[in-house]
Amino acid sequence: PAPPVFRSGKTVAKEKDWIRRAVKNPGAFSKKAKSAGMSTSSYADKVLKKGSKASATTKRQANLAKTLGGLRRKKASRKGKS
């Protein structure tokens, strides 16, 4: 059988490929968090807080970290429901 296709015309594999394209420097954000003595999640909260002086790149990395963390939680909760 053919793989499922979304309305956009992309297959499931192509849709999931956005994560690979979004991550330019793997481990860069977690390294920044570790050097600040924080977890990735708490550092992302700090960076995304209003008035933060973090660079635009770091803010984008923080946003991606929050997004990927949310995906991970959803996936884990789906596994437990089977």
Side-chain angles (χ1 to χ4, degrees):
V5 178
F6 291 96
R7 275 186 265 178
S8 63
K10 296 179 181 177
T11 62
V12 174
K14 287 271 188 187
E15 281 290 319
K16 291 192 178 216
D17 195 45
W18 72 267
I19 296 172
R20 201 169 316 134
R21 289 191 318 267
V23 179
K24 304 286 187 234
N25 300 309
F29 186 73
S30 52
K31 187 175 180 181
K32 290 177 188 179
K34 190 174 184 178
S35 70
M38 305 171 95
S39 70
T40 307
S41 180
S42 58
Y43 187 63
D45 289 335
K46 177 185 172 188
V47 166
L48 293 174
K49 212 175 249 185
K50 193 172 183 165
S52 168
K53 294 186 189 224
S55 70
T57 302
T58 303
K59 288 181 180 182
R60 272 191 236 114
Q61 289 171 332
N63 199 18
L64 181 63
K66 295 293 253 182
T67 300
L68 296 178
L71 290 176
R72 183 181 174 129
R73 271 192 299 279
K74 284 181 188 175
K75 190 175 182 180
S77 68
R78 263 193 257 147
K79 270 189 176 179
K81 288 184 178 178
S82 50

